[in-house]
Amino acid sequence: MMNTKLSLSKTKIIGFTIRLNDTRTRYGRSTISATHSSKPAYSGELKVVKETSGTEPLKKKNASNEDNFLSKIAINYLSKTLRDTAGISSSSSSKSTGYDSLVDTATRVAGSLSIKQQHELVLVALDRAFPAVILSLIKMLLPPSKLSREMFALFTTVFFAWLVGPSEVRETEVNGRKEKSLVFIEKCRFLEQTNCVGMCTHLCKIPSQIFIKNSLGMPIYMMPDFNDLSCKMMFGQEPPEIKDDPVMKQPCFQFCKSNRSYGVKH
């Protein structure tokens, strides 16, 4: 049972860095990086103000997020991929299962790695989780267009409810034209379960934006609302530089148990 602060050893962090370089070389996908442009995104310290009031800690799971058989397979696969990439052995992980296991793994990673390392680890994990040949084929067959943006939005609502919760496609405006390429997540499951701004930002939002742009050729801007835990995924919209993203100045919730218990970096 883990009642004390969970952390990876320095050896495992060094090991992760080595595996990160090896993985990029092995897969030949060195184009993935933790920036959106040639300008350095980590030229200085990224700070947030002191934590302010926020949501109360959750006492029970959202009943709408009960997982079916296929959802459990996807959750366990992502959790294992993230755990293996971080070098967390199954014997040292908690006894939690299902989505709790994914949250536990993410919390341990967030409490042990720097912000930049968190981005890089998730990018490598996603790189491992999705076959490069499939991503390349999608990128070739669906270049940026109204059709591809709308298809990506629809695909997200159908196949990723297990990760982010129920969502719907909404109309938005891209280049002066209306199209249905915005995904509205009513209450993000990951944000709700972690109850942590830092984990939402550095283990989901930023690496997902980078991965989707680099692997699928599709710009996407994810805009979480930390008041009601909703999120907008805007396909076709370029996100701001990481250091200029408003989310980087967002304080964490007053009741962020991940920060208090595990030292999660914000």
Side-chain angles (χ1 to χ4, degrees):
M1 184 175 293
M2 299 185 178
N3 292 324
T4 59
K5 175 181 176 181
L6 299 171
S7 64
L8 301 174
S9 64
K10 291 183 179 179
T11 302
K12 287 187 176 179
I13 293 177
I14 294 174
F16 158 69
T17 304
I18 295 174
R19 286 195 303 278
L20 173 64
N21 295 330
D22 289 344
T23 301
R24 286 174 172 169
T25 302
R26 183 165 62 254
Y27 288 101
R29 300 174 69 187
S30 58
T31 56
I32 292 180
S33 62
T35 61
H36 287 290
S37 70
S38 58
K39 295 188 292 183
Y42 300 96
S43 57
E45 289 289 330
L46 300 178
K47 300 180 180 179
V48 296
V49 297
K50 294 182 179 180
E51 58 188 29
T52 59
S53 60
T55 59
E56 292 282 352
L58 297 173
K59 293 181 173 59
K60 60 182 179 180
K61 293 181 175 59
N62 190 331
S64 66
N65 289 324
E66 293 180 356
D67 300 305
N68 58 34
F69 178 72
L70 294 178
S71 294
K72 289 178 180 178
I73 291 178
I75 291 168
N76 291 335
Y77 177 69
L78 180 59
S79 179
K80 184 179 185 303
T81 302
L82 185 60
R83 190 166 58 246
D84 291 345
T85 304
I88 302 175
S89 63
S90 56
S91 60
S92 66
S93 59
S94 71
K95 300 301 181 181
S96 58
T97 59
Y99 206 87
D100 288 340
S101 175
L102 175 61
V103 172
D104 175 71
T105 301
T107 303
R108 299 180 67 185
V109 168
S112 304
L113 301 178
S114 69
I115 288 175
K116 185 176 181 180
Q117 286 175 322
Q118 290 176 48
H119 297 171
E120 292 175 337
L121 183 141
V122 175
L123 287 172
V124 174
L126 291 174
D127 198 34
R128 291 180 174 182
F130 298 96
V133 63
I134 300 299
L135 296 175
S136 298
L137 184 61
I138 294 175
K139 186 176 182 179
M140 179 181 68
L141 295 176
L142 293 173
S145 66
K146 176 183 178 182
L147 175 63
S148 63
R149 289 189 291 271
E150 292 186 338
M151 288 187 66
F152 278 123
L154 180 61
F155 181 89
T156 300
T157 62
V158 174
F159 293 102
F160 287 93
W162 59 270
L163 180 60
V164 299
S167 61
E168 63 181 20
V169 174
R170 291 187 176 182
E171 190 174 71
T172 186
E173 190 171 291
V174 178
N175 299 324
R177 297 176 57 189
K178 291 184 177 181
E179 58 186 49
K180 294 183 177 181
S181 58
L182 184 150
V183 174
F184 178 75
I185 303 169
E186 183 177 355
K187 182 174 290 186
C188 178
R189 184 180 189 184
F190 186 73
L191 177 56
E192 183 180 29
Q193 293 298 315
T194 59
N195 199 42
C196 179
V197 171
M199 292 174 66
C200 164
T201 301
H202 304 301
L203 293 180
C204 180
K205 170 184 156 62
I206 291 176
S208 294
Q209 290 176 167
I210 297 170
F211 182 78
I212 294 172
K213 172 66 179 294
N214 290 346
S215 297
L216 299 174
M218 175 61 66
I220 179 173
Y221 181 32
M222 299 171 66
M223 185 182 297
D225 187 326
F226 297 109
N227 292 315
D228 61 10
L229 308 185
S230 66
C231 183
K232 294 178 181 178
M233 301 177 66
M234 294 168 278
F235 288 95
Q237 181 171 332
E238 290 283 356
E241 289 290 327
I242 296 175
K243 60 184 177 63
D244 298 325
D245 197 315
V247 77
M248 298 304 296
K249 298 179 181 179
Q250 173 69 36
C252 203
F253 302 124
Q254 180 180 359
F255 300 102
C256 176
K257 60 183 180 181
S258 299
N259 183 24
R260 295 179 182 278
S261 302
Y262 301 102
V264 169
K265 300 170 179 61
H266 299 109

